[in-house]
Amino acid sequence: MPPGAHAASLENVAAAFATNVWRRELFDGLVLASGKLRLAGCTVIYLDGSYVTGKPKPGDFDACWDPSGVDLAKLDPVFLEFGNGRAAQKAAFKGEFFPSTMLCADVGQAFVDFFQLDRFTGKQKGIISISLSADPLLLGKVQP
C-alpha cells in the first residue's frame, strides 16, 4: 500500500480482508470495537498489521483510535488496558487498540506514525483510515 492513510469503510475492509472464517472472526471483533469507540465519541480509527496483508491467518489486527472528542466516561476501559501483551483487548476484540497519539515506547513515535513504518525496512507504508461517524456498517447499531 502506498504511504499515507487511505480512507475505507468497514464494508470495504470486509470485502478486501475478511476473506476466510478466521479473518471474518477478526473482522467481527474490529466491528464490535469500532461500535464501542464510536459510542464514546471516537470518529476515526487506523487499521494496520498483518490483517491488512495477504497473510491467510494473521494472529490479530492492530489498530489505533483518535482520542479527540472521546468521552472517557463512555469509553470501555479495555481500550486503556495495555498489560500482558494487550491480552484483555485481544480477548474482547481479537485485536489490539492504542490511542493514535500515544507514544510507542520502542520507537518514540505516536502510534499513528509508527503504524506507517515498515518494521523490517523502516520505509514509509500505508495504513487504512476508517471514519466511524458515518460508517454504514455501524449506523443503526450504535446510539450517537
Side-chain angles (χ1 to χ4, degrees):
M1 194 176 326
H6 303 275
S9 68
L10 286 168
E11 289 175 335
N12 297 144
V13 171
F17 302 110
T19 55
N20 61 36
V21 173
W22 173 243
R23 285 174 153 280
R24 184 67 196 193
E25 285 183 37
L26 293 176
F27 178 75
D28 290 346
L30 177 66
V31 172
L32 175 63
S34 296
K36 288 179 176 281
L37 285 165
R38 183 173 179 262
L39 182 62
C42 180
T43 59
V44 65
I45 63 170
Y46 301 94
L47 184 60
D48 187 40
S50 60
Y51 187 75
V52 295
T53 69
K55 187 175 183 180
K57 191 164 184 185
D60 65 359
F61 59 83
D62 301 311
C64 60
W65 50 277
D66 185 345
S68 304
V70 171
D71 182 343
L72 293 179
K74 293 180 179 178
L75 184 67
D76 186 325
V78 75
F79 288 107
L80 300 175
E81 292 181 28
F82 305 109
N84 197 20
R86 278 87 45 215
Q89 292 183 17
K90 289 177 184 179
F93 309 120
K94 295 185 174 42
E96 301 176 73
F97 289 86
F98 301 91
S100 62
T101 56
M102 182 177 166
L103 287 185
C104 176
D106 295 342
V107 296
Q109 291 184 302
F111 272 95
V112 70
D113 298 322
F114 170 65
F115 279 5
Q116 295 181 69
L117 291 176
D118 183 291
R119 68 180 178 160
F120 300 109
T121 68
K123 292 183 180 181
Q124 292 286 317
K125 67 179 183 92
I127 58 175
I128 296 173
S129 170
I130 303 168
S131 174
L132 302 182
S133 55
D135 193 281
L137 202 57
L138 297 179
L139 292 178
K141 290 187 177 184
V142 180
Q143 298 299 319

